[in-house]
PDB file of all heavy atoms in Angstrom:
ATOM      1  N   TYR C 297       1.468  10.167 -25.229  1.00  0.00           N
ATOM      2  CA  TYR C 297       1.927  11.297 -24.424  1.00  0.00           C
ATOM      3  C   TYR C 297       3.442  11.464 -24.398  1.00  0.00           C
ATOM      4  O   TYR C 297       3.941  12.332 -23.692  1.00  0.00           O
ATOM      5  CB  TYR C 297       1.429  11.130 -22.984  1.00  0.00           C
ATOM      6  CG  TYR C 297      -0.018  10.689 -22.922  1.00  0.00           C
ATOM      7  CD1 TYR C 297      -0.372   9.469 -22.371  1.00  0.00           C
ATOM      8  CD2 TYR C 297      -1.024  11.485 -23.458  1.00  0.00           C
ATOM      9  CE1 TYR C 297      -1.695   9.056 -22.315  1.00  0.00           C
ATOM     10  CE2 TYR C 297      -2.348  11.073 -23.414  1.00  0.00           C
ATOM     11  CZ  TYR C 297      -2.682   9.858 -22.842  1.00  0.00           C
ATOM     12  OH  TYR C 297      -3.986   9.451 -22.802  1.00  0.00           O
ATOM     13  N   HIS C 320      -8.109 -16.777  -9.566  1.00  0.00           N
ATOM     14  CA  HIS C 320      -9.178 -17.721  -9.237  1.00  0.00           C
ATOM     15  C   HIS C 320     -10.519 -17.044  -9.023  1.00  0.00           C
ATOM     16  O   HIS C 320     -11.534 -17.725  -8.874  1.00  0.00           O
ATOM     17  CB  HIS C 320      -8.808 -18.502  -7.967  1.00  0.00           C
ATOM     18  CG  HIS C 320      -7.520 -19.245  -8.070  1.00  0.00           C
ATOM     19  ND1 HIS C 320      -7.393 -20.421  -8.768  1.00  0.00           N
ATOM     20  CD2 HIS C 320      -6.288 -18.969  -7.575  1.00  0.00           C
ATOM     21  CE1 HIS C 320      -6.147 -20.863  -8.686  1.00  0.00           C
ATOM     22  NE2 HIS C 320      -5.450 -19.992  -7.979  1.00  0.00           N
ATOM     23  N   GLN C 321     -10.515 -15.727  -8.939  1.00  0.00           N
ATOM     24  CA  GLN C 321     -11.748 -14.990  -8.646  1.00  0.00           C
ATOM     25  C   GLN C 321     -11.942 -13.874  -9.680  1.00  0.00           C
ATOM     26  O   GLN C 321     -10.956 -13.326 -10.193  1.00  0.00           O
ATOM     27  CB  GLN C 321     -11.688 -14.359  -7.243  1.00  0.00           C
ATOM     28  CG  GLN C 321     -11.319 -15.327  -6.128  1.00  0.00           C
ATOM     29  CD  GLN C 321     -12.418 -16.324  -5.820  1.00  0.00           C
ATOM     30  OE1 GLN C 321     -13.586 -16.098  -6.158  1.00  0.00           O
ATOM     31  NE2 GLN C 321     -12.063 -17.435  -5.199  1.00  0.00           N
ATOM     32  N   ARG C 335       4.061 -12.302 -16.304  1.00  0.00           N
ATOM     33  CA  ARG C 335       5.042 -11.246 -16.585  1.00  0.00           C
ATOM     34  C   ARG C 335       6.033 -11.852 -17.573  1.00  0.00           C
ATOM     35  O   ARG C 335       6.585 -12.930 -17.348  1.00  0.00           O
ATOM     36  CB  ARG C 335       5.724 -10.794 -15.302  1.00  0.00           C
ATOM     37  CG  ARG C 335       6.637  -9.601 -15.523  1.00  0.00           C
ATOM     38  CD  ARG C 335       6.607  -8.664 -14.350  1.00  0.00           C
ATOM     39  NE  ARG C 335       5.287  -8.094 -14.155  1.00  0.00           N
ATOM     40  CZ  ARG C 335       4.936  -7.393 -13.086  1.00  0.00           C
ATOM     41  NH1 ARG C 335       5.791  -7.194 -12.124  1.00  0.00           N
ATOM     42  NH2 ARG C 335       3.718  -6.896 -12.981  1.00  0.00           N
TER      43      ARG C 335
ATOM     44  N   ASP W 229      -6.487   6.572 -18.602  1.00  0.00           N
ATOM     45  CA  ASP W 229      -5.334   7.197 -19.253  1.00  0.00           C
ATOM     46  C   ASP W 229      -5.348   7.075 -20.773  1.00  0.00           C
ATOM     47  O   ASP W 229      -4.440   7.551 -21.454  1.00  0.00           O
ATOM     48  CB  ASP W 229      -4.018   6.670 -18.668  1.00  0.00           C
ATOM     49  CG  ASP W 229      -3.768   5.199 -19.002  1.00  0.00           C
ATOM     50  OD1 ASP W 229      -4.601   4.587 -19.700  1.00  0.00           O
ATOM     51  OD2 ASP W 229      -2.729   4.670 -18.560  1.00  0.00           O
ATOM     52  N   GLU W 244       0.028  -7.847  -9.243  1.00  0.00           N
ATOM     53  CA  GLU W 244       1.428  -7.455  -9.068  1.00  0.00           C
ATOM     54  C   GLU W 244       2.064  -8.235  -7.920  1.00  0.00           C
ATOM     55  O   GLU W 244       3.170  -8.776  -8.043  1.00  0.00           O
ATOM     56  CB  GLU W 244       1.499  -5.946  -8.793  1.00  0.00           C
ATOM     57  CG  GLU W 244       2.890  -5.404  -8.540  1.00  0.00           C
ATOM     58  CD  GLU W 244       3.699  -5.211  -9.809  1.00  0.00           C
ATOM     59  OE1 GLU W 244       3.139  -5.434 -10.897  1.00  0.00           O
ATOM     60  OE2 GLU W 244       4.891  -4.856  -9.698  1.00  0.00           O
ATOM     61  N   PRO W 296      -8.914 -19.586  -2.665  1.00  0.00           N
ATOM     62  CA  PRO W 296      -7.801 -19.075  -3.477  1.00  0.00           C
ATOM     63  C   PRO W 296      -8.246 -17.843  -4.249  1.00  0.00           C
ATOM     64  O   PRO W 296      -9.368 -17.783  -4.739  1.00  0.00           O
ATOM     65  CB  PRO W 296      -7.476 -20.238  -4.412  1.00  0.00           C
ATOM     66  CG  PRO W 296      -8.719 -21.047  -4.475  1.00  0.00           C
ATOM     67  CD  PRO W 296      -9.403 -20.875  -3.156  1.00  0.00           C
ATOM     68  N   VAL W 297      -7.345 -16.852  -4.314  1.00  0.00           N
ATOM     69  CA  VAL W 297      -7.687 -15.592  -4.994  1.00  0.00           C
ATOM     70  C   VAL W 297      -6.805 -15.392  -6.225  1.00  0.00           C
ATOM     71  O   VAL W 297      -7.292 -15.280  -7.348  1.00  0.00           O
ATOM     72  CB  VAL W 297      -7.558 -14.393  -4.041  1.00  0.00           C
ATOM     73  CG1 VAL W 297      -7.875 -13.091  -4.773  1.00  0.00           C
ATOM     74  CG2 VAL W 297      -8.495 -14.561  -2.847  1.00  0.00           C
TER      75      VAL W 297
END
Side-chain angles (χ1 to χ4, degrees):
Chain C
Y297 316 117
H320 302 284
Q321 308 289 340
R335 186 144 297 170
Chain W
D229 68 1
E244 178 78 4
V297 178

